[in-house]
């Protein structure tokens, strides 16, 4: 990974390599915490964080769900992001991925987490296409996972919490071992839920279809893509999708902060559409890029410029 000079932790900027933690930190053992994945884009007017407010709001929502008292307000978190990117400005020449994490530190062991100290950190480094440059241009190979998405009766998928990602990690591991690039997980009713770190869309007869958020994170990119699609006059339907419907879709793609808009060319060794990025996918991808790069004035309010 490409290191930067500073990491923000508990209100201070510290050197990248000083941002260490004790081996008995509570989160390390029991997996509770809350994190975000946010991107800043190198626009013509410098670095701009995409939907910073929404990401900070979701971070605090995640904390609330898992009963962690984050010591910072949404405004303080937003300002901390800006402070960090300003401090690291000379380290960045291209797009940046930002990872805030609220975690439980050292001092208390045992499952009961409430007395563990709460720490907050933010790191930001240059990171290119999450699923590869070739993937973002030509599409990726996807495997429907043998792992069911964390069921809502025992997990809380609206919280972006480290523990939830064991399910994602095992699905991704399996998909890569099978020669694919990403996993697609079903919910416990057998309908499509989401990718290991992305939301999912198909296109059928010109219509954009995406699953409801019952079994998924409340994805910020999914919401942006739906908004953009409506602008382009594309009909958007939110409903359940079955595995066999994916196989016969005209197009399919993933969305996420890391994955952006990544076309899917194959699912379970069946070619999707023409076997490359579909027309509507490409249109949405191009428009999404315009939005995050500050080239669509309608979406200017989603960008926080770092000057
Ligand atoms: N689902 C999961 C499980 C994720 O980890 C992510 C990435 N944060 C997403 C969906 C996409 O969410 P977003 O568009 O807000 O990044």
């Amino acid at each position: 990974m490409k290191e930067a000079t500073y990491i923000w932790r508990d209100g201070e900027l510290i050197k990248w390599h000083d941002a260490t933690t004790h081996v008995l930190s509570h989160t390390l053992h029991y997996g509770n915490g809350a994190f975000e994945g946010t991107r800043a884009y190198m626009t013509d007017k410098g670095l701009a964080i995409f939907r910073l407010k929404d990401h900070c709001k979701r971070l605090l929502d995640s904390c609330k769900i898992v009963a962690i008292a984050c010591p910072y307000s949404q405004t303080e978190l937003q300002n901390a992001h800006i402070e960090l990117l300003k401090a690291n400005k000379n380290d960045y020449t291209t797009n940046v991925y930002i990872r805030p994490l609220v975690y439980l530190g050292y001092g208390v062991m045992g499952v009961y987490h409430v007395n563990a100290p709460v720490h907050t950190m933010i790191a930001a480094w240059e990171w290119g296409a999450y699923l590869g440059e070739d993937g973002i241009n030509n599409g990726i190979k996807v495997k429907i996972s043998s792992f069911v998405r964390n069921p809502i009766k025992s997990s809380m998928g609206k919280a972006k919490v480290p523990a939830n990602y064991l399910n994602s990690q095992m699905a991704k591991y399996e998909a890569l071992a099978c020669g694919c690039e990403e996993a697609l997980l079903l919910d416990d009713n057998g309908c499509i839920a989401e990718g290991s770190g992305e939301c999912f869309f198909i296109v059928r007869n010109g219509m954009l279809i995406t699953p409801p958020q019952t079994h998924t994170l409340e994805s910020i990119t999914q919401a942006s893509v739906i908004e953009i699609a409506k602008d382009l006059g594309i009909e958007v339907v939110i409903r359940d999708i079955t595995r066999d419907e994916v196989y016969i879709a005209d197009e399919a793609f993933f969305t996420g902060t890391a994955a952006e808009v990544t076309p899917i060319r194959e699912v379970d060794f069946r070619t999707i559409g023409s076997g490359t990025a579909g027309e509507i996918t490409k249109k949405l991808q191009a428009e999404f890029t315009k939005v995050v790069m500050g080239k669509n004035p309608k979406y200017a309010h989603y960008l926080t410029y770092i000057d």
Side-chain angles (χ1 to χ4, degrees):
M1 84 186 298
K2 191 147 186 261
E3 295 173 6
T5 306
Y6 296 108
I7 283 178
W8 185 97
R9 187 174 66 190
D10 298 335
E12 285 175 15
L13 291 169
I14 56 174
K15 285 286 177 78
W16 183 276
H17 284 283
D18 293 340
T20 54
T21 192
H22 197 278
V23 290
L24 291 178
S25 293
H26 201 278
T27 296
L28 211 50
H29 294 259
Y30 303 108
N32 196 1
F35 69 103
E36 267 307 312
T38 308
R39 260 191 199 273
Y41 288 87
M42 194 56 82
T43 72
D44 292 343
K45 291 191 279 173
L47 213 50
I49 307 176
F50 185 60
R51 301 193 72 161
L52 173 62
K53 282 185 192 165
D54 299 296
H55 282 283
C56 289
K57 168 77 167 64
R58 192 171 65 185
L59 182 62
L60 290 176
D61 286 349
S62 295
C63 287
K64 185 174 185 182
I65 291 172
V66 296
I68 289 179
C70 177
Y72 298 101
S73 68
Q74 190 181 320
T75 307
E76 286 168 337
L77 290 169
Q78 288 166 201
N79 289 340
H81 281 70
I82 295 165
E83 185 189 351
L84 176 71
L85 292 199
K86 274 188 181 164
N88 284 338
K89 212 170 170 190
N90 293 335
D91 299 323
Y92 307 135
T93 54
T94 181
N95 301 342
V96 170
Y97 186 81
I98 310 170
R99 165 55 50 81
L101 168 72
V102 180
Y103 64 100
L104 301 173
Y106 169 76
V108 176
M109 286 306 268
V111 170
Y112 188 66
H113 72 286
V114 172
N115 297 323
V118 179
H119 297 285
T120 308
M121 59 71 58
I122 310 171
W125 64 94
E126 286 185 348
W127 202 5
Y130 178 64
L131 293 163
E133 277 303 324
D134 182 58
I136 213 144
N137 293 323
N138 303 313
I140 57 166
K141 284 172 70 172
V142 170
K143 166 100 179 56
I144 294 189
S145 186
S146 70
F147 289 91
V148 164
R149 193 70 184 135
N150 293 317
I152 53 173
K153 284 180 186 162
S154 56
S155 301
M156 299 184 288
K158 300 279 170 285
K160 199 165 164 62
V161 168
N164 286 347
Y165 284 80
L166 179 62
N167 177 255
S168 289
Q169 203 173 102
M170 293 300 104
K172 179 109 189 171
Y173 172 73
E174 177 188 68
L176 265 69
C178 292
C180 296
E181 277 113 15
E182 187 51 283
L184 180 58
L185 291 93
L186 305 178
D187 65 32
D188 52 356
N189 296 316
C191 292
I192 304 295
E194 59 183 343
S196 73
E198 306 86 6
C199 279
F200 179 74
F201 287 82
I202 56 170
V203 176
R204 291 195 74 192
N205 304 317
M207 193 191 290
L208 193 59
I209 309 166
T210 191
Q213 294 185 332
T214 320
H215 298 89
T216 70
L217 193 68
E218 288 185 344
S219 159
I220 293 166
T221 320
Q222 183 190 36
S224 305
V225 167
I226 290 173
E227 210 178 331
I228 291 167
K230 287 180 177 166
D231 282 352
L232 297 175
I234 298 166
E235 191 183 344
V236 182
V237 180
I238 297 170
R239 65 153 172 83
D240 282 334
I241 300 170
T242 57
R243 174 183 203 142
D244 48 1
E245 191 180 14
V246 175
Y247 296 161
I248 56 171
D250 302 323
E251 303 180 26
F253 60 91
F254 277 131
T255 62
T257 299
E260 301 171 293
V261 177
T262 300
I264 296 172
R265 64 183 168 86
E266 201 177 292
V267 176
D268 290 347
F269 315 105
R270 288 145 174 98
T271 301
I272 303 301
S274 58
T276 180
E279 283 312 307
I280 291 181
T281 306
K282 279 197 280 191
K283 225 190 241 183
L284 289 167
Q285 196 182 43
E287 202 52 46
F288 179 77
T289 304
K290 269 197 207 164
V291 166
V292 297
M293 295 302 283
K295 293 190 170 148
N296 182 338
K298 189 190 160 196
Y299 293 87
H301 61 289
Y302 283 159
L303 292 170
T304 303
Y305 286 91
I306 308 297
D307 37 50

